[in-house]
Amino acid sequence: MIYDTHAHLDFVSEDKLEEIENNYKIGVVVSNSVNIFSNKKNLEISKKYSKIKFAAGLYPEETLKKEDYEELEKFVKENKKDVFSIGEIGMDFSRELPEKEIQEYVFEKQLELAEKLNLCVSIHTRKAEREIIEILREFPKVKRILHCFSGNFKLVKEALQIGCYFSIPTNIVRSEHFQKMVREIPREKILTETDTPYLSPFKETENEPANIVEAIKVISRIWEVSKEEAEKQIEDNFKKLFLN
Ligand SMILES: [Zn+2]
């Protein structure tokens, strides 16, 4: 079975959601949220489809405010039994907004929440890799995944030392960087993701969870194992991290 640890299914059509639910190859898809509206939508979707799990979170999008965190916390507490994980959270210093101080505040608050609820987090970082690693050091108990990590290999090594997992996107099919990550990172730390509808392995198409098989093909070649073995390893990693 294939596991998609990071998708945005609030952006896809109802027909596609049906297709995901009926695809016998798919184990679990974790639908990540970016703002209050998307949290509500993803919760709703996860209640309707058994394979789709709800990740609650606030992404550092331009309009993010400190007060959004209180609203998220309230929402998470009210719907605790349906919250599978926390994501998409993180920091992005490649843009001017939101201000760094707001990004750090909301990121840290969400790590505190994940710690309290013993949930795994899916982290976005762009031009903030160093800062993210330093903050994560203060939360050693939080189970953490770096999603689609594009930092250099010195940072990859440091992230491994503080227990990070890495979810490898389907665009590994044409990315030397992600292929190298799969060569260098221990197999037990590798997960797969699509970031649906983004980062498709095929040009000019929307991504979808079924495309995880494309990532599996590349990963199995690099590991020199069968596709079934690669799939099994990643399934084990997923279960160990999320279901413990
Ligand atoms: Zn994402």
Side-chain angles (χ1 to χ4, degrees):
M1 300 251 258
I2 53 176
Y3 287 76
D4 187 349
T5 61
H6 187 113
H8 298 276
L9 299 185
D10 50 328
F11 296 152
V12 311
S13 69
E14 204 67 37
D15 287 352
K16 187 54 80 180
L17 297 175
E18 293 281 347
E19 221 179 89
I20 292 168
E21 185 75 1
N22 295 327
N23 185 336
Y24 74 97
K25 281 284 291 174
I26 294 177
V28 172
V29 182
V30 186
S31 193
N32 278 244
S33 308
V34 294
N35 54 32
I36 297 293
F37 177 76
S38 102
N39 276 278
K40 291 179 179 161
K41 186 98 195 279
N42 279 319
L43 171 66
E44 222 175 90
I45 293 170
S46 73
K47 284 183 174 175
K48 200 163 161 198
Y49 300 99
S50 66
K51 289 181 179 177
I52 300 172
K53 304 296 176 196
F54 168 46
L58 295 170
Y59 174 86
E61 60 178 17
E62 277 187 32
T63 51
L64 180 70
K65 303 182 296 300
K66 282 189 179 174
E67 302 78 71
D68 292 343
Y69 175 72
E70 271 108 81
E71 204 174 334
L72 178 82
E73 190 185 292
K74 195 168 157 265
F75 184 74
V76 167
K77 287 184 173 160
E78 283 165 4
N79 296 288
K80 218 159 126 191
K81 65 169 190 6
D82 294 305
V83 179
F84 184 72
S85 61
I86 300 290
E88 172 171 4
I89 66 172
M91 301 199 294
D92 193 326
F93 294 166
S94 69
R95 304 183 251 100
E96 300 269 304
L97 288 171
E99 287 165 28
K100 282 188 184 180
E101 194 222 335
I102 297 174
Q103 296 199 32
E104 272 174 27
Y105 173 84
V106 177
F107 179 57
E108 290 185 1
K109 289 304 255 183
Q110 293 183 97
L111 289 173
E112 277 172 24
L113 184 64
E115 183 166 0
K116 230 180 278 167
L117 302 175
N118 188 31
L119 295 173
C120 181
V121 298
S122 186
I123 301 171
H124 164 97
T125 165
R126 195 167 299 139
K127 301 247 190 289
E129 287 81 7
R130 162 68 48 214
E131 290 83 351
I132 292 267
I133 288 172
E134 294 314 320
I135 292 172
L136 285 175
R137 286 186 204 284
E138 294 161 33
F139 295 89
K141 283 190 255 156
V142 176
K143 300 181 279 181
R144 66 284 303 268
I145 304 170
L146 296 177
H147 126 78
C148 202
F149 190 74
S150 57
N152 65 42
F153 281 81
K154 188 171 170 285
L155 293 165
V156 167
K157 211 169 154 192
E158 281 184 49
L160 279 170
Q161 282 162 354
I162 58 164
C164 292
Y165 280 70
F166 292 83
S167 57
I168 304 294
T170 42
N171 63 352
I172 185 177
V173 301
R174 49 192 154 79
S175 161
E176 183 46 47
H177 172 77
F178 290 119
Q179 291 171 21
K180 186 170 175 208
M181 272 174 67
V182 171
R183 280 194 294 272
E184 307 229 333
I185 292 170
R187 291 179 191 191
E188 317 76 64
K189 293 291 179 186
I190 301 267
L191 298 160
T192 42
E193 66 161 80
T194 57
D195 209 14
T196 292
Y198 313 111
L199 305 181
S200 176
F202 307 111
K203 280 194 181 121
E204 285 157 37
T205 60
E206 278 198 353
N207 209 354
E208 57 177 302
N211 285 338
I212 291 285
V213 296
E214 302 302 324
I216 296 285
K217 280 184 206 161
V218 180
I219 293 170
S220 67
R221 268 204 302 272
I222 295 171
W223 285 351
E224 298 177 338
V225 298
S226 67
K227 280 182 271 182
E228 292 71 23
E229 275 172 87
E231 245 177 61
K232 179 72 175 57
Q233 173 75 57
I234 289 163
E235 178 169 353
D236 290 348
N237 297 348
F238 181 94
K239 289 182 174 165
K240 194 173 156 216
L241 182 65
F242 283 99
L243 308 177
N244 267 335

